[in-house]
Amino acid sequence: MDLEEAGSFLVPYLIMLIVEGMPLLYLELAVGQRMRQGSIGAWRTISPYLSGDPLPWSVCPLNANHTGYDAECEQASSTKYFWYRKTLNISPSIQDSGSLQWEPALCLLLAWLVVYLCILRGTESTGQVVYFTASMPYCVLIIYLIRGLTLHGATNGLLYMFTPKLEQLANPKAWINAATQIFFSLGLGFGSLIAFASYNEPSNNCQKHAIIVSLINSSTSIFASVVTFSIYGFKATFNYESCLNRVILLLTNSFDLEDGFLTASNLEQVKGYLASTYPDQYSKVFPLIKNCSLESELDTAVQGTGLAFIVYTEAIKNMEVSQLWSVLYFFMLLMLGIGSMLGNTAAILTPLTDSKAITRHLPKEAISGLVCLLNCAVGLVFTLEAGNYWFDIFNDYAATLSLLLIVLVETIAVCYVYGLRRFESDLQAMTGRTLSWYWKIMWAGVSPLLIISLLLFYLSDYILTGTLQYQAWDASQVPALPGPQAASRAQALVF
């Protein structure tokens, strides 16, 4: 600071000292002196919410009379209730569309606004954002891996993951799911890879990049699966042990057993003894005894929104410092979602901006804005009360079928319309490398035949099923979602 500025600086300095410095210093000293605790404890004493809000899905809300918990929540769980009732306010069926939910709709609008700002300056700025959105989840996954492997029961989930069920290999649906996962994770059929690769130099070794990206992608998927199943194992073990504790408490109170006498190791033996010794009394208690099984807890697999917003969140609420893990997890989901939106939007924008007929009348900024606005308008369908059902239909039927068709047409167009030999000579002219026999066989024969086989099974399965199906949340019969145990009563017809 210059000497001539010192005089003018003293005036605001003294004013800020009087109106800010001394009052706030006194406030903090007084709070610490009165509460006799550190900063977190002091704010917790003033209000529990000031020390970090409890997770909103951690407990069920009270009923209207404040005499107990909400009945719908008690029948399901606090996590499922928060997702389906509080977040989605989901309708009982897809025929009941319901009203637009303003909170998801606002989040959708903000997401597309972020995407528009990221793509406003073209592909270069989009690429810089994608670097962050793609790398940041790795950091969160590493943190979650360290935490997940230290959780009680994590090994149960990992053993479940790495123990193959051979009978599933004969199920064609498993192969369709695997193919769909590959298409989605690599971004095949969306057009984003073609759009981004169009900016590469002609001499770029795209073969090496294809191999590296495929291996990194699969390694990342396995890495993320280890994280997921370690947390999933913790959740399943927690639910299993909670079930055992409830049964032990029920039998201990019903038969006046000594505390600590009944344990998980002797539970089945004692149940048999009680059933034979006190048959009348045991028959009254028997309907309340749940069949606790770790295997059944692990078999209760979910996918899509159920995995992201129920399994993870239910496990997070039982962790220490659950607020921290919640923030990290949802920030990672946000980055993954933004990254996917950027890639798919770039796939749409690139051919539009390449068209001189369009760019002659509209600037690129206007084209980007219109594309984002149109996508946002379509996405509003999923923010209705029945929006989650439409999402399941699109995810299970439209996305899988369309990707298989697009990739099939893609391979046929390159190998048989454009010509494999012609394409091979083009690649050799660009990169100076001859095309290996492996790629020729895969492109011209194996890949299209496999896709055709999957398509035939997919269509035949749909014809035999007779209609599109989805799992519905029925407040009178919860828990209806997630899990295959509810499929028979939760199926609903679309048309």
Side-chain angles (χ1 to χ4, degrees), residues 9 22 27 76 78 89 126 135 144 165 173 177 188 206-207 244-245 262 297 323 337 341 353 385 404 445 461:
F9 174 77
M22 287 191 294
L27 176 67
S78 59
N89 190 26
T126 303
S135 58
Y144 258 98
K165 295 184 177 180
K173 286 188 177 181
N177 293 336
L188 302 176
C206 53
Q207 175 182 312
L244 287 178
N245 291 334
L262 193 57
E297 289 289 345
Q323 293 88 348
M341 292 169 70
T353 53
E385 291 181 21
L404 289 173
D461 181 66

mmCIF file with all atom_site columns, all heavy atoms in Angstrom, residues 9 22 27 76 78 89 126 135 144 165 173 177 188 206-207 244-245 262 297 323 337 341 353 385 404 445 461:
data_model
loop_
_atom_site.group_PDB
_atom_site.id
_atom_site.type_symbol
_atom_site.label_atom_id
_atom_site.label_alt_id
_atom_site.label_comp_id
_atom_site.label_asym_id
_atom_site.label_entity_id
_atom_site.label_seq_id
_atom_site.pdbx_PDB_ins_code
_atom_site.Cartn_x
_atom_site.Cartn_y
_atom_site.Cartn_z
_atom_site.occupancy
_atom_site.B_iso_or_equiv
_atom_site.pdbx_formal_charge
_atom_site.auth_seq_id
_atom_site.auth_comp_id
_atom_site.auth_asym_id
_atom_site.auth_atom_id
_atom_site.pdbx_PDB_model_num
ATOM 1   N N   . PHE A 1 9   ? -7.154  4.882   3.656   1.00 0.00 ? 9   PHE A N   1
ATOM 2   C CA  . PHE A 1 9   ? -7.430  3.498   4.076   1.00 0.00 ? 9   PHE A CA  1
ATOM 3   C C   . PHE A 1 9   ? -7.882  3.437   5.526   1.00 0.00 ? 9   PHE A C   1
ATOM 4   O O   . PHE A 1 9   ? -8.678  2.578   5.899   1.00 0.00 ? 9   PHE A O   1
ATOM 5   C CB  . PHE A 1 9   ? -6.164  2.647   3.873   1.00 0.00 ? 9   PHE A CB  1
ATOM 6   C CG  . PHE A 1 9   ? -6.287  1.257   4.411   1.00 0.00 ? 9   PHE A CG  1
ATOM 7   C CD1 . PHE A 1 9   ? -7.009  0.284   3.728   1.00 0.00 ? 9   PHE A CD1 1
ATOM 8   C CD2 . PHE A 1 9   ? -5.701  0.911   5.622   1.00 0.00 ? 9   PHE A CD2 1
ATOM 9   C CE1 . PHE A 1 9   ? -7.122  -1.000  4.226   1.00 0.00 ? 9   PHE A CE1 1
ATOM 10  C CE2 . PHE A 1 9   ? -5.817  -0.377  6.122   1.00 0.00 ? 9   PHE A CE2 1
ATOM 11  C CZ  . PHE A 1 9   ? -6.529  -1.336  5.428   1.00 0.00 ? 9   PHE A CZ  1
ATOM 12  N N   . MET A 1 22  ? -14.991 -5.920  16.033  1.00 0.00 ? 22  MET A N   1
ATOM 13  C CA  . MET A 1 22  ? -15.239 -6.072  17.470  1.00 0.00 ? 22  MET A CA  1
ATOM 14  C C   . MET A 1 22  ? -16.543 -6.805  17.767  1.00 0.00 ? 22  MET A C   1
ATOM 15  O O   . MET A 1 22  ? -16.575 -7.689  18.630  1.00 0.00 ? 22  MET A O   1
ATOM 16  C CB  . MET A 1 22  ? -15.203 -4.702  18.143  1.00 0.00 ? 22  MET A CB  1
ATOM 17  C CG  . MET A 1 22  ? -13.796 -4.123  18.257  1.00 0.00 ? 22  MET A CG  1
ATOM 18  S SD  . MET A 1 22  ? -13.710 -2.672  19.325  1.00 0.00 ? 22  MET A SD  1
ATOM 19  C CE  . MET A 1 22  ? -14.689 -1.513  18.355  1.00 0.00 ? 22  MET A CE  1
ATOM 20  N N   . LEU A 1 27  ? -18.912 -11.814 19.669  1.00 0.00 ? 27  LEU A N   1
ATOM 21  C CA  . LEU A 1 27  ? -19.912 -12.861 19.497  1.00 0.00 ? 27  LEU A CA  1
ATOM 22  C C   . LEU A 1 27  ? -19.292 -14.244 19.601  1.00 0.00 ? 27  LEU A C   1
ATOM 23  O O   . LEU A 1 27  ? -19.798 -15.127 20.311  1.00 0.00 ? 27  LEU A O   1
ATOM 24  C CB  . LEU A 1 27  ? -20.604 -12.690 18.139  1.00 0.00 ? 27  LEU A CB  1
ATOM 25  C CG  . LEU A 1 27  ? -21.622 -13.780 17.764  1.00 0.00 ? 27  LEU A CG  1
ATOM 26  C CD1 . LEU A 1 27  ? -22.829 -13.728 18.686  1.00 0.00 ? 27  LEU A CD1 1
ATOM 27  C CD2 . LEU A 1 27  ? -22.045 -13.660 16.310  1.00 0.00 ? 27  LEU A CD2 1
ATOM 28  N N   . ALA A 1 76  ? -42.436 -49.823 3.800   1.00 0.00 ? 76  ALA A N   1
ATOM 29  C CA  . ALA A 1 76  ? -41.311 -49.919 2.863   1.00 0.00 ? 76  ALA A CA  1
ATOM 30  C C   . ALA A 1 76  ? -40.010 -49.725 3.643   1.00 0.00 ? 76  ALA A C   1
ATOM 31  O O   . ALA A 1 76  ? -39.563 -50.604 4.358   1.00 0.00 ? 76  ALA A O   1
ATOM 32  C CB  . ALA A 1 76  ? -41.460 -48.871 1.765   1.00 0.00 ? 76  ALA A CB  1
ATOM 33  N N   . SER A 1 78  ? -37.324 -46.064 4.952   1.00 0.00 ? 78  SER A N   1
ATOM 34  C CA  . SER A 1 78  ? -37.171 -44.611 4.866   1.00 0.00 ? 78  SER A CA  1
ATOM 35  C C   . SER A 1 78  ? -36.515 -44.188 3.559   1.00 0.00 ? 78  SER A C   1
ATOM 36  O O   . SER A 1 78  ? -36.866 -43.156 2.978   1.00 0.00 ? 78  SER A O   1
ATOM 37  C CB  . SER A 1 78  ? -36.349 -44.101 6.057   1.00 0.00 ? 78  SER A CB  1
ATOM 38  O OG  . SER A 1 78  ? -35.071 -44.716 6.087   1.00 0.00 ? 78  SER A OG  1
ATOM 39  N N   . ASN A 1 89  ? -42.602 -38.283 -5.924  1.00 0.00 ? 89  ASN A N   1
ATOM 40  C CA  . ASN A 1 89  ? -44.046 -38.236 -5.693  1.00 0.00 ? 89  ASN A CA  1
ATOM 41  C C   . ASN A 1 89  ? -44.749 -39.087 -6.742  1.00 0.00 ? 89  ASN A C   1
ATOM 42  O O   . ASN A 1 89  ? -45.671 -38.650 -7.446  1.00 0.00 ? 89  ASN A O   1
ATOM 43  C CB  . ASN A 1 89  ? -44.569 -36.796 -5.730  1.00 0.00 ? 89  ASN A CB  1
ATOM 44  C CG  . ASN A 1 89  ? -46.010 -36.692 -5.254  1.00 0.00 ? 89  ASN A CG  1
ATOM 45  O OD1 . ASN A 1 89  ? -46.475 -37.525 -4.485  1.00 0.00 ? 89  ASN A OD1 1
ATOM 46  N ND2 . ASN A 1 89  ? -46.725 -35.681 -5.724  1.00 0.00 ? 89  ASN A ND2 1
ATOM 47  N N   . THR A 1 126 ? -15.920 -27.751 -24.701 1.00 0.00 ? 126 THR A N   1
ATOM 48  C CA  . THR A 1 126 ? -16.606 -28.960 -24.257 1.00 0.00 ? 126 THR A CA  1
ATOM 49  C C   . THR A 1 126 ? -15.604 -30.012 -23.822 1.00 0.00 ? 126 THR A C   1
ATOM 50  O O   . THR A 1 126 ? -15.770 -30.672 -22.794 1.00 0.00 ? 126 THR A O   1
ATOM 51  C CB  . THR A 1 126 ? -17.492 -29.522 -25.389 1.00 0.00 ? 126 THR A CB  1
ATOM 52  O OG1 . THR A 1 126 ? -18.408 -28.516 -25.802 1.00 0.00 ? 126 THR A OG1 1
ATOM 53  C CG2 . THR A 1 126 ? -18.242 -30.751 -24.922 1.00 0.00 ? 126 THR A CG2 1
ATOM 54  N N   . SER A 1 135 ? -12.638 -37.183 -15.043 1.00 0.00 ? 135 SER A N   1
ATOM 55  C CA  . SER A 1 135 ? -11.585 -37.524 -14.086 1.00 0.00 ? 135 SER A CA  1
ATOM 56  C C   . SER A 1 135 ? -12.029 -37.394 -12.636 1.00 0.00 ? 135 SER A C   1
ATOM 57  O O   . SER A 1 135 ? -11.588 -38.145 -11.765 1.00 0.00 ? 135 SER A O   1
ATOM 58  C CB  . SER A 1 135 ? -10.362 -36.634 -14.323 1.00 0.00 ? 135 SER A CB  1
ATOM 59  O OG  . SER A 1 135 ? -10.697 -35.262 -14.198 1.00 0.00 ? 135 SER A OG  1
ATOM 60  N N   . TYR A 1 144 ? -14.252 -43.777 -2.125  1.00 0.00 ? 144 TYR A N   1
ATOM 61  C CA  . TYR A 1 144 ? -15.289 -44.738 -1.772  1.00 0.00 ? 144 TYR A CA  1
ATOM 62  C C   . TYR A 1 144 ? -14.734 -46.158 -1.683  1.00 0.00 ? 144 TYR A C   1
ATOM 63  O O   . TYR A 1 144 ? -15.218 -46.967 -0.886  1.00 0.00 ? 144 TYR A O   1
ATOM 64  C CB  . TYR A 1 144 ? -16.424 -44.690 -2.794  1.00 0.00 ? 144 TYR A CB  1
ATOM 65  C CG  . TYR A 1 144 ? -17.633 -43.941 -2.306  1.00 0.00 ? 144 TYR A CG  1
ATOM 66  C CD1 . TYR A 1 144 ? -17.848 -42.616 -2.654  1.00 0.00 ? 144 TYR A CD1 1
ATOM 67  C CD2 . TYR A 1 144 ? -18.563 -44.553 -1.481  1.00 0.00 ? 144 TYR A CD2 1
ATOM 68  C CE1 . TYR A 1 144 ? -18.956 -41.919 -2.199  1.00 0.00 ? 144 TYR A CE1 1
ATOM 69  C CE2 . TYR A 1 144 ? -19.675 -43.877 -1.020  1.00 0.00 ? 144 TYR A CE2 1
ATOM 70  C CZ  . TYR A 1 144 ? -19.866 -42.562 -1.388  1.00 0.00 ? 144 TYR A CZ  1
ATOM 71  O OH  . TYR A 1 144 ? -20.964 -41.876 -0.926  1.00 0.00 ? 144 TYR A OH  1
ATOM 72  N N   . LYS A 1 165 ? -22.601 -67.384 -11.509 1.00 0.00 ? 165 LYS A N   1
ATOM 73  C CA  . LYS A 1 165 ? -23.685 -68.355 -11.546 1.00 0.00 ? 165 LYS A CA  1
ATOM 74  C C   . LYS A 1 165 ? -23.779 -68.874 -12.969 1.00 0.00 ? 165 LYS A C   1
ATOM 75  O O   . LYS A 1 165 ? -24.268 -68.201 -13.866 1.00 0.00 ? 165 LYS A O   1
ATOM 76  C CB  . LYS A 1 165 ? -24.994 -67.701 -11.107 1.00 0.00 ? 165 LYS A CB  1
ATOM 77  C CG  . LYS A 1 165 ? -24.978 -67.257 -9.649  1.00 0.00 ? 165 LYS A CG  1
ATOM 78  C CD  . LYS A 1 165 ? -26.321 -66.709 -9.206  1.00 0.00 ? 165 LYS A CD  1
ATOM 79  C CE  . LYS A 1 165 ? -26.300 -66.335 -7.737  1.00 0.00 ? 165 LYS A CE  1
ATOM 80  N NZ  . LYS A 1 165 ? -27.606 -65.803 -7.267  1.00 0.00 ? 165 LYS A NZ  1
ATOM 81  N N   . LYS A 1 173 ? -30.847 -63.168 -21.973 1.00 0.00 ? 173 LYS A N   1
ATOM 82  C CA  . LYS A 1 173 ? -30.999 -61.824 -21.430 1.00 0.00 ? 173 LYS A CA  1
ATOM 83  C C   . LYS A 1 173 ? -29.703 -61.325 -20.798 1.00 0.00 ? 173 LYS A C   1
ATOM 84  O O   . LYS A 1 173 ? -29.420 -60.125 -20.802 1.00 0.00 ? 173 LYS A O   1
ATOM 85  C CB  . LYS A 1 173 ? -32.130 -61.805 -20.393 1.00 0.00 ? 173 LYS A CB  1
ATOM 86  C CG  . LYS A 1 173 ? -33.524 -61.882 -21.000 1.00 0.00 ? 173 LYS A CG  1
ATOM 87  C CD  . LYS A 1 173 ? -34.592 -61.666 -19.945 1.00 0.00 ? 173 LYS A CD  1
ATOM 88  C CE  . LYS A 1 173 ? -35.977 -61.673 -20.577 1.00 0.00 ? 173 LYS A CE  1
ATOM 89  N NZ  . LYS A 1 173 ? -37.048 -61.447 -19.579 1.00 0.00 ? 173 LYS A NZ  1
ATOM 90  N N   . ASN A 1 177 ? -28.006 -57.851 -21.796 1.00 0.00 ? 177 ASN A N   1
ATOM 91  C CA  . ASN A 1 177 ? -27.616 -56.855 -20.794 1.00 0.00 ? 177 ASN A CA  1
ATOM 92  C C   . ASN A 1 177 ? -26.138 -56.511 -20.891 1.00 0.00 ? 177 ASN A C   1
ATOM 93  O O   . ASN A 1 177 ? -25.745 -55.355 -20.735 1.00 0.00 ? 177 ASN A O   1
ATOM 94  C CB  . ASN A 1 177 ? -27.947 -57.373 -19.392 1.00 0.00 ? 177 ASN A CB  1
ATOM 95  C CG  . ASN A 1 177 ? -29.435 -57.497 -19.146 1.00 0.00 ? 177 ASN A CG  1
ATOM 96  O OD1 . ASN A 1 177 ? -30.232 -56.812 -19.791 1.00 0.00 ? 177 ASN A OD1 1
ATOM 97  N ND2 . ASN A 1 177 ? -29.833 -58.370 -18.241 1.00 0.00 ? 177 ASN A ND2 1
ATOM 98  N N   . LEU A 1 188 ? -21.208 -46.353 -27.777 1.00 0.00 ? 188 LEU A N   1
ATOM 99  C CA  . LEU A 1 188 ? -21.416 -46.822 -29.152 1.00 0.00 ? 188 LEU A CA  1
ATOM 100 C C   . LEU A 1 188 ? -22.836 -46.530 -29.610 1.00 0.00 ? 188 LEU A C   1
ATOM 101 O O   . LEU A 1 188 ? -23.791 -46.678 -28.856 1.00 0.00 ? 188 LEU A O   1
ATOM 102 C CB  . LEU A 1 188 ? -21.156 -48.328 -29.233 1.00 0.00 ? 188 LEU A CB  1
ATOM 103 C CG  . LEU A 1 188 ? -19.772 -48.810 -28.810 1.00 0.00 ? 188 LEU A CG  1
ATOM 104 C CD1 . LEU A 1 188 ? -19.711 -50.328 -28.850 1.00 0.00 ? 188 LEU A CD1 1
ATOM 105 C CD2 . LEU A 1 188 ? -18.693 -48.215 -29.689 1.00 0.00 ? 188 LEU A CD2 1
ATOM 106 N N   . CYS A 1 206 ? -6.049  -44.314 -34.495 1.00 0.00 ? 206 CYS A N   1
ATOM 107 C CA  . CYS A 1 206 ? -7.309  -44.562 -33.796 1.00 0.00 ? 206 CYS A CA  1
ATOM 108 C C   . CYS A 1 206 ? -7.428  -46.012 -33.333 1.00 0.00 ? 206 CYS A C   1
ATOM 109 O O   . CYS A 1 206 ? -8.182  -46.306 -32.395 1.00 0.00 ? 206 CYS A O   1
ATOM 110 C CB  . CYS A 1 206 ? -8.496  -44.180 -34.674 1.00 0.00 ? 206 CYS A CB  1
ATOM 111 S SG  . CYS A 1 206 ? -8.493  -44.926 -36.306 1.00 0.00 ? 206 CYS A SG  1
ATOM 112 N N   . GLN A 1 207 ? -6.683  -46.924 -33.973 1.00 0.00 ? 207 GLN A N   1
ATOM 113 C CA  . GLN A 1 207 ? -6.711  -48.320 -33.530 1.00 0.00 ? 207 GLN A CA  1
ATOM 114 C C   . GLN A 1 207 ? -6.135  -48.451 -32.130 1.00 0.00 ? 207 GLN A C   1
ATOM 115 O O   . GLN A 1 207 ? -6.713  -49.122 -31.263 1.00 0.00 ? 207 GLN A O   1
ATOM 116 C CB  . GLN A 1 207 ? -5.917  -49.199 -34.503 1.00 0.00 ? 207 GLN A CB  1
ATOM 117 C CG  . GLN A 1 207 ? -5.784  -50.651 -34.044 1.00 0.00 ? 207 GLN A CG  1
ATOM 118 C CD  . GLN A 1 207 ? -4.953  -51.483 -35.001 1.00 0.00 ? 207 GLN A CD  1
ATOM 119 O OE1 . GLN A 1 207 ? -5.165  -51.456 -36.209 1.00 0.00 ? 207 GLN A OE1 1
ATOM 120 N NE2 . GLN A 1 207 ? -3.980  -52.217 -34.457 1.00 0.00 ? 207 GLN A NE2 1
ATOM 121 N N   . LEU A 1 244 ? -31.835 -60.625 12.042  1.00 0.00 ? 244 LEU A N   1
ATOM 122 C CA  . LEU A 1 244 ? -31.531 -61.595 13.093  1.00 0.00 ? 244 LEU A CA  1
ATOM 123 C C   . LEU A 1 244 ? -31.768 -61.007 14.475  1.00 0.00 ? 244 LEU A C   1
ATOM 124 O O   . LEU A 1 244 ? -32.341 -61.668 15.362  1.00 0.00 ? 244 LEU A O   1
ATOM 125 C CB  . LEU A 1 244 ? -30.070 -62.057 12.974  1.00 0.00 ? 244 LEU A CB  1
ATOM 126 C CG  . LEU A 1 244 ? -29.715 -63.003 11.821  1.00 0.00 ? 244 LEU A CG  1
ATOM 127 C CD1 . LEU A 1 244 ? -28.223 -63.309 11.852  1.00 0.00 ? 244 LEU A CD1 1
ATOM 128 C CD2 . LEU A 1 244 ? -30.517 -64.292 11.908  1.00 0.00 ? 244 LEU A CD2 1
ATOM 129 N N   . ASN A 1 245 ? -31.354 -59.764 14.673  1.00 0.00 ? 245 ASN A N   1
ATOM 130 C CA  . ASN A 1 245 ? -31.532 -59.125 15.984  1.00 0.00 ? 245 ASN A CA  1
ATOM 131 C C   . ASN A 1 245 ? -33.009 -58.966 16.331  1.00 0.00 ? 245 ASN A C   1
ATOM 132 O O   . ASN A 1 245 ? -33.398 -59.117 17.497  1.00 0.00 ? 245 ASN A O   1
ATOM 133 C CB  . ASN A 1 245 ? -30.829 -57.764 15.999  1.00 0.00 ? 245 ASN A CB  1
ATOM 134 C CG  . ASN A 1 245 ? -29.321 -57.894 15.946  1.00 0.00 ? 245 ASN A CG  1
ATOM 135 O OD1 . ASN A 1 245 ? -28.766 -58.914 16.372  1.00 0.00 ? 245 ASN A OD1 1
ATOM 136 N ND2 . ASN A 1 245 ? -28.646 -56.887 15.422  1.00 0.00 ? 245 ASN A ND2 1
ATOM 137 N N   . LEU A 1 262 ? -29.681 -66.285 23.464  1.00 0.00 ? 262 LEU A N   1
ATOM 138 C CA  . LEU A 1 262 ? -29.977 -66.548 22.054  1.00 0.00 ? 262 LEU A CA  1
ATOM 139 C C   . LEU A 1 262 ? -29.051 -65.713 21.185  1.00 0.00 ? 262 LEU A C   1
ATOM 140 O O   . LEU A 1 262 ? -28.991 -64.486 21.296  1.00 0.00 ? 262 LEU A O   1
ATOM 141 C CB  . LEU A 1 262 ? -31.435 -66.207 21.761  1.00 0.00 ? 262 LEU A CB  1
ATOM 142 C CG  . LEU A 1 262 ? -32.035 -66.686 20.433  1.00 0.00 ? 262 LEU A CG  1
ATOM 143 C CD1 . LEU A 1 262 ? -31.906 -68.191 20.310  1.00 0.00 ? 262 LEU A CD1 1
ATOM 144 C CD2 . LEU A 1 262 ? -33.497 -66.280 20.337  1.00 0.00 ? 262 LEU A CD2 1
ATOM 145 N N   . GLU A 1 297 ? -30.708 -61.469 0.757   1.00 0.00 ? 297 GLU A N   1
ATOM 146 C CA  . GLU A 1 297 ? -30.429 -60.035 0.768   1.00 0.00 ? 297 GLU A CA  1
ATOM 147 C C   . GLU A 1 297 ? -29.505 -59.657 -0.383  1.00 0.00 ? 297 GLU A C   1
ATOM 148 O O   . GLU A 1 297 ? -29.692 -58.625 -1.035  1.00 0.00 ? 297 GLU A O   1
ATOM 149 C CB  . GLU A 1 297 ? -29.786 -59.628 2.103   1.00 0.00 ? 297 GLU A CB  1
ATOM 150 C CG  . GLU A 1 297 ? -30.714 -59.660 3.292   1.00 0.00 ? 297 GLU A CG  1
ATOM 151 C CD  . GLU A 1 297 ? -31.745 -58.557 3.270   1.00 0.00 ? 297 GLU A CD  1
ATOM 152 O OE1 . GLU A 1 297 ? -31.572 -57.593 2.497   1.00 0.00 ? 297 GLU A OE1 1
ATOM 153 O OE2 . GLU A 1 297 ? -32.743 -58.661 4.012   1.00 0.00 ? 297 GLU A OE2 1
ATOM 154 N N   . GLN A 1 323 ? -23.175 -37.489 6.071   1.00 0.00 ? 323 GLN A N   1
ATOM 155 C CA  . GLN A 1 323 ? -23.359 -36.285 5.248   1.00 0.00 ? 323 GLN A CA  1
ATOM 156 C C   . GLN A 1 323 ? -22.222 -36.118 4.246   1.00 0.00 ? 323 GLN A C   1
ATOM 157 O O   . GLN A 1 323 ? -22.439 -35.755 3.090   1.00 0.00 ? 323 GLN A O   1
ATOM 158 C CB  . GLN A 1 323 ? -23.456 -35.036 6.126   1.00 0.00 ? 323 GLN A CB  1
ATOM 159 C CG  . GLN A 1 323 ? -24.696 -34.972 6.993   1.00 0.00 ? 323 GLN A CG  1
ATOM 160 C CD  . GLN A 1 323 ? -24.517 -35.662 8.335   1.00 0.00 ? 323 GLN A CD  1
ATOM 161 O OE1 . GLN A 1 323 ? -23.541 -36.378 8.535   1.00 0.00 ? 323 GLN A OE1 1
ATOM 162 N NE2 . GLN A 1 323 ? -25.437 -35.443 9.257   1.00 0.00 ? 323 GLN A NE2 1
ATOM 163 N N   . GLY A 1 337 ? -23.415 -37.370 -14.938 1.00 0.00 ? 337 GLY A N   1
ATOM 164 C CA  . GLY A 1 337 ? -24.570 -36.981 -15.735 1.00 0.00 ? 337 GLY A CA  1
ATOM 165 C C   . GLY A 1 337 ? -24.250 -35.851 -16.695 1.00 0.00 ? 337 GLY A C   1
ATOM 166 O O   . GLY A 1 337 ? -24.633 -35.899 -17.874 1.00 0.00 ? 337 GLY A O   1
ATOM 167 N N   . MET A 1 341 ? -24.360 -35.942 -20.811 1.00 0.00 ? 341 MET A N   1
ATOM 168 C CA  . MET A 1 341 ? -25.167 -34.967 -21.543 1.00 0.00 ? 341 MET A CA  1
ATOM 169 C C   . MET A 1 341 ? -24.312 -34.197 -22.551 1.00 0.00 ? 341 MET A C   1
ATOM 170 O O   . MET A 1 341 ? -24.753 -33.929 -23.675 1.00 0.00 ? 341 MET A O   1
ATOM 171 C CB  . MET A 1 341 ? -25.823 -34.004 -20.572 1.00 0.00 ? 341 MET A CB  1
ATOM 172 C CG  . MET A 1 341 ? -26.897 -34.643 -19.694 1.00 0.00 ? 341 MET A CG  1
ATOM 173 S SD  . MET A 1 341 ? -27.430 -33.574 -18.331 1.00 0.00 ? 341 MET A SD  1
ATOM 174 C CE  . MET A 1 341 ? -28.315 -32.296 -19.232 1.00 0.00 ? 341 MET A CE  1
ATOM 175 N N   . THR A 1 353 ? -24.156 -28.279 -37.075 1.00 0.00 ? 353 THR A N   1
ATOM 176 C CA  . THR A 1 353 ? -23.251 -27.166 -37.362 1.00 0.00 ? 353 THR A CA  1
ATOM 177 C C   . THR A 1 353 ? -22.427 -27.410 -38.621 1.00 0.00 ? 353 THR A C   1
ATOM 178 O O   . THR A 1 353 ? -21.895 -26.461 -39.208 1.00 0.00 ? 353 THR A O   1
ATOM 179 C CB  . THR A 1 353 ? -22.316 -26.917 -36.169 1.00 0.00 ? 353 THR A CB  1
ATOM 180 O OG1 . THR A 1 353 ? -21.650 -28.146 -35.816 1.00 0.00 ? 353 THR A OG1 1
ATOM 181 C CG2 . THR A 1 353 ? -23.094 -26.412 -34.963 1.00 0.00 ? 353 THR A CG2 1
ATOM 182 N N   . GLU A 1 385 ? -45.333 -37.111 -12.400 1.00 0.00 ? 385 GLU A N   1
ATOM 183 C CA  . GLU A 1 385 ? -45.473 -38.104 -11.337 1.00 0.00 ? 385 GLU A CA  1
ATOM 184 C C   . GLU A 1 385 ? -45.281 -39.525 -11.873 1.00 0.00 ? 385 GLU A C   1
ATOM 185 O O   . GLU A 1 385 ? -44.848 -40.411 -11.142 1.00 0.00 ? 385 GLU A O   1
ATOM 186 C CB  . GLU A 1 385 ? -46.847 -37.962 -10.665 1.00 0.00 ? 385 GLU A CB  1
ATOM 187 C CG  . GLU A 1 385 ? -46.986 -36.676 -9.859  1.00 0.00 ? 385 GLU A CG  1
ATOM 188 C CD  . GLU A 1 385 ? -48.343 -36.563 -9.188  1.00 0.00 ? 385 GLU A CD  1
ATOM 189 O OE1 . GLU A 1 385 ? -49.014 -37.601 -9.007  1.00 0.00 ? 385 GLU A OE1 1
ATOM 190 O OE2 . GLU A 1 385 ? -48.742 -35.438 -8.845  1.00 0.00 ? 385 GLU A OE2 1
ATOM 191 N N   . LEU A 1 404 ? -28.929 -51.468 -30.592 1.00 0.00 ? 404 LEU A N   1
ATOM 192 C CA  . LEU A 1 404 ? -28.606 -52.663 -31.383 1.00 0.00 ? 404 LEU A CA  1
ATOM 193 C C   . LEU A 1 404 ? -28.816 -52.407 -32.866 1.00 0.00 ? 404 LEU A C   1
ATOM 194 O O   . LEU A 1 404 ? -27.973 -52.785 -33.700 1.00 0.00 ? 404 LEU A O   1
ATOM 195 C CB  . LEU A 1 404 ? -29.473 -53.836 -30.921 1.00 0.00 ? 404 LEU A CB  1
ATOM 196 C CG  . LEU A 1 404 ? -29.161 -54.434 -29.542 1.00 0.00 ? 404 LEU A CG  1
ATOM 197 C CD1 . LEU A 1 404 ? -30.208 -55.462 -29.164 1.00 0.00 ? 404 LEU A CD1 1
ATOM 198 C CD2 . LEU A 1 404 ? -27.776 -55.055 -29.517 1.00 0.00 ? 404 LEU A CD2 1
ATOM 199 N N   . GLY A 1 445 ? -18.156 -60.133 -40.021 1.00 0.00 ? 445 GLY A N   1
ATOM 200 C CA  . GLY A 1 445 ? -18.865 -61.365 -39.706 1.00 0.00 ? 445 GLY A CA  1
ATOM 201 C C   . GLY A 1 445 ? -19.371 -61.503 -38.293 1.00 0.00 ? 445 GLY A C   1
ATOM 202 O O   . GLY A 1 445 ? -20.579 -61.508 -38.045 1.00 0.00 ? 445 GLY A O   1
ATOM 203 N N   . ASP A 1 461 ? -38.662 -62.373 -27.457 1.00 0.00 ? 461 ASP A N   1
ATOM 204 C CA  . ASP A 1 461 ? -39.014 -62.259 -26.046 1.00 0.00 ? 461 ASP A CA  1
ATOM 205 C C   . ASP A 1 461 ? -40.123 -61.232 -25.854 1.00 0.00 ? 461 ASP A C   1
ATOM 206 O O   . ASP A 1 461 ? -41.043 -61.426 -25.058 1.00 0.00 ? 461 ASP A O   1
ATOM 207 C CB  . ASP A 1 461 ? -37.779 -61.879 -25.230 1.00 0.00 ? 461 ASP A CB  1
ATOM 208 C CG  . ASP A 1 461 ? -38.082 -61.772 -23.743 1.00 0.00 ? 461 ASP A CG  1
ATOM 209 O OD1 . ASP A 1 461 ? -38.397 -62.805 -23.132 1.00 0.00 ? 461 ASP A OD1 1
ATOM 210 O OD2 . ASP A 1 461 ? -38.004 -60.647 -23.194 1.00 0.00 ? 461 ASP A OD2 1
#
